[in-house]
Amino acid sequence: MPGSKTGDKKTVLFLCKCSSNISNIVDFEEIKRWAGEKGDTNIAAVSNLLCAPDGKKFFSEVIKKKNVNNIIIAACSPKLHEKTFQDIAEKNNINMSRVRMANIREQCAWVTADKNEATEKAKSLINAAIKRSFLSEDLKRRTMKAYSDVLIIGGGIAGIETARTISKTGRKVYIVEKNITIGGSVMKTEDLAPSMECSPCLMAPILSDVRDDPNIEVLANAEITNILGFFGNFNVTIKEKPRYVEDNCIACEECFKVCPVSVKNEFHYSLGERKAIYTLFPGAVPASAVIDKNICKHFTDNSCDKCVSVCPFGSINFDQEEKTTAINAGSIVISTGFKPGDLAGFPELGHKSINDVYTTYELESLLSTNGPTGGKLKPDDEKIPASAAIIHCAGSMDSRGIPYCSSICCTHAVKAGEMLGKVYPAIRVFNIHNDLVFTDPEEHQFYKKQKAKGTTFIKCFDLSSIKITKTPDDEKIKISGYGFEPISVDIAVLATGFKPADDFKELAKIMDLALDKNGFFRPGHRILHTTASEQDGIYSAGCASKPVNAAAACTQAQAVAGDIMSRLIPGREIELEIFTSFIDEEKCAGCKMCIPACPFKSIYYDPERKISIINEALCRGCGTCTAACPSGSIFARHYTDNEINAEIEGILHG
Amino acid sequence: MTKPKIAISWNSSCGGCDESIVDIEDKILDIAAKVEFVLWPCAMDFKYDHVRALPDGDITVSLINGGIQNSHQEEIARLIRKKSKTVVAFGACAWLGGVPSLINLKNKEELFKSSYLESISVENPRKTLPAIKSKVDNCTLTLPEIYDTLYKLDDIIGVDYYLPGCPPTADLITDLFLKLIEGGLPEKGAVLAPARSLCISCPRNETKPDNFEIDEIKRIHEIIADPEKCFLVQNLLCMGPSTRDGCGCSCIKGNMPCTGCFGPADKSDQGAKMIGTLGSILKGSTESEADRVIDGIADPAGTFYRYSTAASMLGRKRKEDR
Ligand code: SF4
Ligand code: SF4
Ligand code: SF4
Ligand code: SF4
Ligand code: SF4
C-alpha cells in the first residue's frame, strides 16, 4: 500500500506554484518524483494558485474526496495563508493542527536563483513538515464568556465619568482609589478655568450619583496588587487598607472636635491642618471618616479613645483589618491623575523659602472658600496684597524639573490672576511668560479678557533667568530676569506643570505596560487611539497618558466608556489561546522554577499537591516555561520538543 | 533452581561504584547466598577466560560501571554483553559518562600532556607517553588503545537498565538486587529512580518562594549556608531542579548543594535544562548586568555537566580535522 509509512493517517502534499513564483525556481516534477519515492505521503496535488478561489475549491475537494486527514502545503509563508487553509480544513472536519505549511517561496524560491539549490532546500523543508506532522495532535478551540464588568483605577473626574457612563448600561463598575475618597484634583480648587465654573458645585451631584449608583462600587483607601489576564478576562487583586471607621459613619465630624492630634493636611498641599480622624471634604464618597494610624494616639501609645465615646453611631472600630478583594473584569481603565510639578530643584524661585511665594495649586487651595483658610491667603493677617507676579512655566521645560510643556499651566497662570482679582479687586497682576500655550479658543479668550482687565503680560525670553528674592529689610518680593525691568510685588505665584503620579511606575509594572520618556502611559496610538494602552483591554483617561484639563479628561472618559461598551458585550464569548502549555502532573517536582519564567503570570504553585499548575485561561502559549522547566515536565501544545526534533530531523536527514 | 549469575565489571570509574555494592553491608551476604558471582574484578579473583567460556546469555545480569575510554574496556564490555541476559549501566559514569567524561572537553593529546608531562606529581624526563606498542629490551609491550573520546556505556553496547548515582545509594542497590532475584523490574530501558527532579524530595523546597530572583552567584565556601533554606535562594547553584530524585537528598542533608550526580530527570540534557531554568531567576535586565551575574559561575562545564558530559548535546570538544 502506498504511504504505509504514514501509519493510520492519510497524508496529502499540496504543491503550490504561486503562478510561477515558486515553480520557476523549484523543480516541481523532481519534488513529485522524490515525494513518490519517499512514500510517506499518499497524494501529491499540484495547484497553480492554491489561495485563489479555484485553488481553495481544489484544496477542499481533494481533502474531502480522498478522505485525507493530514495535510502538508508547500507554498508561501505560513504567516500568509496557514490560517486560510486551516479554516477550510476545519470546515471539512479536519483539525487545524493537521494542516502544516512548508515555506518554499520566501525561504527557497525567493532567496536563490539556483534551481538545484532551491529544489533541494524545498525537499528539506517539506520533509521537515511531513516528519513533524506525524506527531501533531488535535487541538481544541476554547472560548470563555467575557467578563463585561469594568475596573477603573483612580477616582478622579476621568474615572468617575467613565464609571457613570458605563454603569448606565447595567454593567458593574469598580473604582479603585488610593486616597480615602474619590473626587481627585478637581476637588482642590473652587473654579475650573476657563469658564470659572464652581468645581465643588459641579462635583457634588456627580459624587452623590456615584454613591447611589448600585452598579458602581467604590473601593477607596485601596491599591492594586496584581493583575492577570487579558481583554475580557482580567483577574485583579485589590488591597483595601483599614479605615478604622465603619461604613455607617455619616461624617458628622463630632469626633474631629475631640481628637487631640493634628497634622498638616496633605490634601491641601500641607497648608492647613487635619485631625488624626478626618475626611477630605464634606460630601465625600465614601462618606466615612478615616483614622490615620500613624498619628492616632490609640495606636501610638494607647492613650486615647475620645472619638469612640463621642461618635453617635458607634462607628469607630480599631480592630478593622486590611481586606484583599479579587475582581474579574473585562476591561481596565487607568485614570490615576497627576501630581503637581515640584520646585525642589529651583531654589532661585524662593518657593518654601520666601513667604508669599505660592504655586498655582497652593493659591487655588488657599483662595477656595472650602479650603484650609476659608478663602483668604492669610486668614489672620488683614493686609491686602496690592500686587502679584505670576511666573509661567515654573519648573517646566527644564531638566531640573519637568522637561516638557504640560500645556495646562498657562491657563492656570491666567486663572490665578482672575482668582486674586475676585478676592482682592484692586490687585495689580503681572504675568511673566515666554511661550503662551492655550489649547482652545475659550482659553485664549480667557487670556484676552484678563489682559483687558489690566493684567500686564511681561515677556521674558529666558525663564531660567528668573530670580525671586526678598531680604529681611524688604517689604516686597523682587522679581528679576532677562529682558525686563525687575518688579516688586506683594506675592509671587509659580505656575508649575503636571507630573505623572507616583504610582505610575508600580502600576506599569503590574500591568506590563511601558511608560513614555516623560513617565506617562504610552498610548495605543498617538493619533488614532490616544485612550488605548499598549495592551488590549486596558485604557487610559485623564492625565494617565499626558497632562489634560478637566474637560478633556471627561471627553476621554466618555470615549473610553464608548470603546469598552462597543467591544465588551455581556454574554459574548472570547477565544482563548489554542497553543497553550500544560504541565505533566506526574513528572512535575514542584520546583517552582517555571513560575518566574512566565511573562503572563499564568503559573501558580499548588502547595497541597506540591506541583505547579498552568492556568490555561491565562496562558498565551509563549512557550517560555517549557524551556525553563528543568525536568522537561512542561509541554507546549503544537510545539513539543518531539515535534521540533522531528522537524530538525527532517531537515538534516532528508 | 539454579542461582542467578551476576557479573560486576568496571571501566573508566573511580571504584566508588564497586565500593557502594560492598557498602550495602550485611545485606550483601544475604544476596551473595542467593546469587552466584561470575565476575567482579574489584572484589573477587575471576579471570576473563572464565567469562569467555560461558555460553552466550548465561549471565543473568551484569552490572557495569564506568564509561568506555579504551579498547580493553570496549572488548570486555562487548564480551559481557554477549554473555548476559540483562545489562545494567551502574552509576553515573556508565549511564552518562560521569566525571571522567569531562575529558571530552579536551583531546587525547591534551590529556597525555597534562597527565604524563605537566602534572606536578609526575617526573618523566624521557617524556614517555602511553603507546599501544613499545619496545623495551627487544620485547614488545602492548597497552590498550586510549580513545580520544570517553563514551557512555550505551554508545558501545546495548543497555537494559540504568542505575543513577555517583555512586548509586545502598537503598537503590539493595532494591535492584531484590528485584533481580524476586522479579519486579520495570520495562527495559528504564532509569531505576523516580522520573522527577530532586526538589520534590528536598525538605528545603518549601522555603523557596514562588517568585524570586538572584542577583549574584556565590560558591559554597564563600558563605555559611543556612541549613534550612533552598540553596538557590541563598545565591548558591544547586543542581537539584534538573537532577533526578532518588538519592534521599544526601548532599542537601549535609548542607551541600546538589551537584547533579543522579543525572537528568528525563531524557533531556541536564546541563542545558539547568541553564534554561536559571534564566528564569537570574536578575539582569541589561546585558552587562546579566554578564556580571553569569560571571559568578566559576566553572560552567564542571557545574552543569559534572556527571553528564558524554551524554550531553555537547558530547565532546569539536574535532579540528572535521
Ligand atoms: S482615638 Fe485617635 S482618632 Fe480618636 S480622638 Fe483619639 S487620637 Fe483622635
Ligand atoms: S506558555 Fe508558559 S510561560 Fe508562556 S504564557 Fe503559557 S504558562 Fe506562561
Ligand atoms: S519547572 Fe517544571 S518541575 Fe518545576 S514546578 Fe514547573 S513544571 Fe514543575
Ligand atoms: S534547588 Fe536544591 S535546595 Fe532548593 S529545593 Fe531544589 S534541591 Fe532543594
Ligand atoms: S544531592 Fe545531588 S549530587 Fe548529592 S547525591 Fe543527590 S543527586 Fe547526587
Side-chain angles (χ1 to χ4, degrees), chain A residues 579-582 594-595 597-603 613-615 618-626 634-636:
Chain A
F579 306 134
T580 49
S581 291
F582 65 95
C594 49
I595 298 173
C598 177
F600 302 104
K601 296 183 268 189
S602 314
I603 313 180
I613 313 245
I614 292 178
N615 179 345
L618 300 179
C619 169
R620 311 267 189 102
C622 69
T624 313
C625 57
T626 61
I634 312 187
F635 300 87

Side-chain angles (χ1 to χ4, degrees), chain A residues 304-339:
Chain A
C304 175
D305 60 2
K306 290 201 173 105
C307 50
V308 179
S309 42
V310 299
C311 178
F313 304 97
S315 307
I316 312 292
N317 175 6
F318 295 123
D319 299 327
Q320 251 186 20
E321 282 178 1
E322 188 175 281
K323 211 166 98 192
T324 301
T325 314
I327 284 172
N328 290 322
S331 249
I332 294 174
V333 183
I334 315 170
S335 49
T336 37
F338 69 96
K339 188 180 137 187

Side-chain angles (χ1 to χ4, degrees), chain A residues 544-612:
Chain A
S545 67
K546 64 174 181 185
V548 293
N549 62 20
C554 290
T555 312
Q556 290 184 345
Q558 285 137 5
V560 166
D563 212 333
I564 292 175
M565 290 185 303
S566 71
R567 295 185 62 210
L568 212 56
I569 314 291
R572 187 178 279 184
E573 301 269 324
I574 44 171
E575 285 230 358
L576 296 177
E577 178 59 54
I578 302 169
F579 306 134
T580 49
S581 291
F582 65 95
I583 292 176
D584 178 341
E585 300 184 355
E586 295 293 309
K587 275 180 84 187
C588 168
C591 73
K592 310 176 199 170
M593 301 299 282
C594 49
I595 298 173
C598 177
F600 302 104
K601 296 183 268 189
S602 314
I603 313 180
Y604 64 95
Y605 179 67
D606 178 346
E608 253 159 46
R609 298 165 68 197
K610 293 196 182 335
I611 54 173
S612 292

Side-chain angles (χ1 to χ4, degrees), chain A residues 259-261 276-277 296-298 304-307 318:
Chain A
C259 179
V261 198
I277 185 162
C296 161
K297 285 181 162 306
H298 172 82
C304 175
D305 60 2
K306 290 201 173 105
C307 50
F318 295 123

Side-chain angles (χ1 to χ4, degrees), chain B residues 124-138:
Chain B
N124 183 1
R126 287 195 290 168
K127 302 202 186 318
T128 313
L129 294 178
I132 301 175
K133 283 198 170 97
S134 2
K135 278 237 172 337
V136 180
D137 302 338
N138 287 334

Side-chain angles (χ1 to χ4, degrees), chain A residues 590-593, chain B residues 197-208 212 228-234 236-243 249 252 256-258 274:
Chain A
C591 73
K592 310 176 199 170
M593 301 299 282
Chain B
S197 77
L198 184 64
C199 297
I200 193 146
S201 303
C202 178
R204 302 184 186 218
N205 197 34
E206 293 306 309
T207 70
K208 193 196 284 165
F212 71 105
E228 261 141 38
K229 262 215 272 187
C230 166
F231 288 110
L232 286 173
V233 182
Q234 303 185 57
L236 294 167
L237 279 190
C238 176
M239 286 289 286
S242 70
T243 299
C249 295
I252 284 149
M256 286 290 285
C258 170
M274 191 64 203

Side-chain angles (χ1 to χ4, degrees), chain A residues 35-111:
Chain A
E37 202 169 82
K38 259 164 52 71
D40 50 8
T41 49
N42 308 71
I43 309 150
V46 182
S47 157
N48 192 35
L49 204 58
L50 201 62
C51 62
D54 276 358
K56 286 189 203 160
K57 209 170 129 216
F58 170 67
F59 179 80
S60 192
E61 274 162 12
V62 172
I63 57 178
K64 210 176 330 187
K65 264 201 218 128
K66 308 273 179 177
N67 210 7
V68 158
N69 53 9
N70 203 33
I71 301 162
I72 318 291
I73 304 162
C76 54
S77 159
K79 285 198 168 166
L80 286 170
H81 284 304
E82 192 165 56
K83 186 152 188 317
T84 316
F85 298 119
Q86 282 175 341
D87 288 348
I88 305 178
E90 288 218 295
K91 278 195 197 118
N92 288 288
N93 295 321
I94 297 170
N95 192 272
M96 50 162 308
S97 80
R98 305 288 173 200
V99 179
R100 193 166 296 276
M101 292 193 75
N103 180 355
I104 61 164
R105 191 178 75 176
E106 285 86 344
Q107 289 181 358
C108 286
W110 285 359
V111 289

Side-chain angles (χ1 to χ4, degrees), chain B residues 165-167 169 198 239-240 243-252 256-263 307:
Chain B
C166 180
T169 60
L198 184 64
M239 286 289 286
T243 299
R244 189 175 284 255
D245 186 24
C247 68
C249 295
S250 330
C251 301
I252 284 149
M256 286 290 285
C258 170
T259 55
C261 81
F262 260 56
Y307 304 95

